[in-house]
Amino acid sequence: MDMDEAFGLVGEFGPGQKRLTAFLVLLQVFVAFQSMLVVLVGAVPEYYLDQEEIPTSREDFAKHVKFSSNFTSIATEWYLIMHEAYKVSLASSLYFAGLLIGNITFGQLSDKLGRKPVYLSGLFFDVIFGYVSAFAPNYEIFAMSRFFVGMTNGGMSLVSFVLTQEYVGKSFWALTGSLTNVTFAVGIAVYALLGYFIREWRFLAFISNSPGVFFFLLSFMLPESPRWLYSQGRTGEAEKVLQYIALGNGKERVSVKLKQHTGAIKKDDSAPGVLNLVKNPVLRWRTVILVYIWFVCSFVYYGLTLNAGELGGNLYLNVALYGLVEVPAFPLCMFFIGRSWSGRRKSTTVFLIFAGIACLLTVFLPENTGGFFLSPSLLALYGKLTVSAAFNIIYIYSSELYPTVVRNAGLGVCSMICRFGGIFAPFVPSLKSLSPSVPFVVFGLSGLSGGFLTLLLPETLNKPIEETIEDLQTPVYQMLKNKKAE
């Protein structure tokens, strides 16, 4: 039997698989803590100078600057204000720079060395560098630790996402992928709650990082991905993992016997990697389109978050709101992507177009509008909800478009490029100097272009999963590629 038939035998989403995926899904709370850390530990409270002359050294700041809030941050400890304020943003940029490297490096390594060892290594160093951030004696060490946290956190979370997909049958990929993203959103709200009760930034960083120790110790119990083992020709080991899953599902008498995959990698062959995404014409075309869509999702997502951040009110409430507004994206995704009349492709298209329209509508709003349902702030939240839904789907969609042997490499490249969207987005609001509506026009046109470009990709709903690159060229696949999802 092949891998999909084996999952049908042992159970596509039984109790054993639910425990495995629940563990990895809950890990996203820790990932969210690390991703959002600087939002609170880098917050700048209101302050005033007791002299007209601006201090030029930290010692002078300590003498003449008074902070009015009761929380501490890297800004209050190291006086990152005025001409030093850029250092807070720099720490965030370094985190994203780390994500760039981690996504591509860890993705390719996990395709060659296996999901589990790369995942464990990433989580271990993620925790270590997280504690370095909490106990950093100066800004320079803190900033560099954020770079390494970004690299390990981004790479580890990417591999864990792929594991949640490869532990279950293909028909449940949408469910596990959506649960992963919605848990990340809830993690943002939980982080805001922690920040509300823990006002000392070092203690907040320490507490936020500590769940990683718990997840690391329990992660040794996770099995290797059976799909990855099968794609590498390690059929016997894949059968053992599937037997383990069957036992977890309460099927003790099930015997799993996989057929040798004809396209499996032999020991003397070089493992497929990033170069295959360029050399293979099918993968090359898909990758070009997907990296742009991922970039747009990230660009619009972080851009709208930044504009929504201009809402007045409580800092902690706003951070929680930015996370919770994404939660409705989960049921929306689950409803649409499993329907034959919408599927993955059309759902992604519609959500990106809606996000673009939400941005463009702000251009037609009168200045100082008092309407609640058409205020720029609420339209930004509408847009974030829809782009979050698109972001959720594109993770699942991309997983299904790449064969198992290059899945992590493909997702790594896409995730790496999307980080540029997060880096560029903060610079767009500066275009307000031209016109207040220009930033929203940029985000709106980006969303529309990404949505329409998605239509060039094939639908994957109810289609078989390719294990190797050779599967892309098989007559059965070529026939299914051009057939509409049933």
Side-chain angles (χ1 to χ4, degrees), residues 165-362:
Q165 306 288 70
E166 296 183 350
Y167 281 151
V168 303
K170 192 255 182 181
S171 59
F172 287 91
W173 282 20
L175 175 63
T176 57
S178 297
L179 283 173
T180 298
N181 290 315
V182 77
T183 306
F184 180 87
V186 173
I188 295 176
V190 174
Y191 177 66
L193 184 65
L194 282 177
Y196 178 79
F197 289 105
I198 304 174
R199 300 300 179 95
E200 205 284 314
W201 81 266
R202 289 186 182 274
F203 190 39
L204 176 60
F206 177 84
I207 294 297
S208 299
N209 191 61
S210 294
V213 178
F214 168 79
F215 283 110
F216 175 73
L217 294 176
L218 291 184
S219 291
F220 284 95
M221 300 173 62
L222 295 173
E224 181 56 272
S225 162
R227 286 189 181 274
W228 180 82
L229 291 170
Y230 185 54
S231 71
Q232 302 295 304
R234 294 159 65 176
T235 307
E237 295 175 65
E239 290 172 350
K240 290 180 181 179
V241 174
L242 289 170
Q243 196 68 50
Y244 171 81
I245 291 174
L247 290 174
N249 291 341
K251 300 183 178 183
E252 299 180 3
R253 298 186 178 181
V254 171
S255 178
V256 181
K257 189 64 177 177
L258 295 170
K259 63 182 179 182
Q260 184 65 41
H261 200 287
T262 56
I265 300 171
K266 300 179 177 62
K267 290 184 178 180
D268 296 333
D269 295 337
S270 59
V274 175
L275 288 179
N276 293 88
L277 304 180
V278 179
K279 293 189 294 185
N280 185 277
V282 176
L283 292 178
R284 180 170 62 244
W285 176 244
R286 290 183 183 182
T287 301
V288 168
I289 296 175
L290 284 172
V291 293
Y292 180 74
I293 296 170
W294 278 67
F295 172 84
V296 167
C297 286
S298 177
F299 184 62
V300 178
Y301 177 93
Y302 288 107
L304 291 179
T305 299
L306 182 63
N307 280 277
E310 296 180 1
L311 291 169
N314 185 278
L315 169 65
Y316 306 99
L317 179 62
N318 286 342
V319 173
L321 181 61
Y322 304 151
L324 293 177
V325 75
E326 300 177 38
V327 174
F330 169 68
L332 285 174
C333 292
M334 292 306 299
F335 177 79
F336 286 107
I337 64 178
R339 299 295 187 274
S340 59
W341 46 267
S342 53
R344 277 66 159 151
R345 181 179 61 175
K346 292 179 182 177
S347 297
T348 306
T349 296
V350 170
F351 282 125
L352 281 175
I353 289 176
F354 279 179
I357 291 174
C359 294
L360 292 177
L361 280 177
T362 61

Side-chain angles (χ1 to χ4, degrees), residues 17-50:
Q17 290 148 305
K18 288 178 181 177
R19 288 190 290 269
L20 292 174
T21 55
F23 174 79
L24 291 171
V25 164
L26 288 174
L27 177 68
Q28 291 302 309
V29 174
F30 170 69
V31 175
F33 288 175
Q34 293 287 28
S35 300
M36 299 296 292
L37 185 74
V38 177
V39 173
L40 294 184
V41 305
V44 182
E46 293 184 1
Y47 61 89
Y48 65 91
L49 289 169
D50 59 7

Side-chain angles (χ1 to χ4, degrees), residues 59-102:
E59 291 74 17
D60 290 337
F61 269 119
K63 294 178 181 177
H64 301 289
V65 175
K66 305 296 180 182
F67 293 100
S68 58
S69 296
N70 62 345
F71 68 86
T72 67
S73 68
I74 61 173
T76 62
E77 179 167 340
W78 295 315
Y79 296 94
L80 306 181
I81 56 177
M82 297 183 178
H83 59 278
E84 295 281 295
Y86 75 93
K87 291 184 176 180
V88 176
S89 298
L90 178 60
S92 294
S93 296
L94 286 171
Y95 176 83
F96 279 103
L99 288 178
L100 285 174
I101 298 174

